[in-house]
Amino acid sequence: METARETHRLAVVAAISAEIQRQAVAGEQRIDIEKLADAVLHALDPQAPVAEGRRPEELNSSNDG
C-alpha cells in the first residue's frame, strides 16, 4: 500500500517529467524553473474540479434533492 509520502513523491515526479517534456516539445532552450515550480505546486495541491450543482454547505432541507 502506498503511503501519503510515496503518493506525493510520485505526483512530484510526474509533474516534473510532464513539464520538462512540455518545455522540450515547445522548443525551449533552457528549463523554465518558475513553470517547473508551478507544476510541482499544482501537483501537491491541485485545484478541486468545478462541479455542477450546490456545495454541501449550500444544501438545506428544501434543496437537497
Side-chain angles (χ1 to χ4, degrees):
M1 183 173 198
E2 265 184 18
T3 65
R5 181 178 169 89
E6 291 168 335
T7 301
H8 278 120
R9 184 179 184 284
L10 291 174
V12 169
V13 168
I16 290 170
S17 296
E19 181 59 23
I20 289 174
Q21 179 64 27
R22 186 198 65 76
Q23 290 183 30
V25 168
E28 300 291 332
Q29 297 297 311
R30 300 182 71 185
I31 294 174
D32 184 332
I33 300 299
E34 293 293 324
K35 289 180 181 173
L36 191 59
D38 288 342
V40 170
L41 290 174
H42 180 73
L44 293 176
D45 188 21
Q47 299 294 320
V50 176
E52 294 183 24
R54 297 185 182 267
R55 294 180 295 223
E57 64 270 15
E58 296 173 326
L59 295 175
N60 58 43
S61 62
S62 65
N63 66 11
D64 68 354

